[in-house]
Amino acid sequence: MKATEIREMTNEELAKKLEEFKSELFVLRFQNETGQLENPMKINLIKKDIARVKTVLRERAANVNG
């Protein structure tokens, strides 16, 4: 997911997306440990998506407070 797409979302949508990414990361890690994961790079992509969402949420919180 691109940063521009993330910035267009509302805070509620971002919170929901963050939870989806976290649950997907859990499943991917589980698959990786059991040897069922076909593309291990997907874990890194999900981690980066989580970081992007958290960054946007933090920026918005800082703008409201500052």
Side-chain angles (χ1 to χ4, degrees), residues 7-59:
R7 292 187 191 283
E8 293 173 356
M9 300 172 99
T10 65
N11 287 347
E12 293 80 24
E13 291 172 333
L14 288 175
K16 183 178 176 185
K17 200 67 168 169
L18 182 61
E19 291 303 316
E20 289 175 14
F21 284 147
K22 284 183 177 182
S23 63
E24 186 174 352
L25 180 62
F26 175 79
V27 170
L28 290 174
R29 283 181 172 162
F30 192 84
Q31 287 178 348
N32 191 34
E33 289 299 317
T34 59
Q36 298 175 350
L37 186 61
E38 293 179 13
N39 185 5
M41 287 301 296
K42 188 145 173 87
I43 292 175
N44 289 339
L45 296 175
I46 295 297
K47 283 181 173 181
K48 288 180 182 181
D49 284 339
I50 290 172
R52 285 185 190 107
V53 170
K54 284 185 173 183
T55 299
V56 170
L57 286 172
R58 188 164 186 101
E59 285 174 352

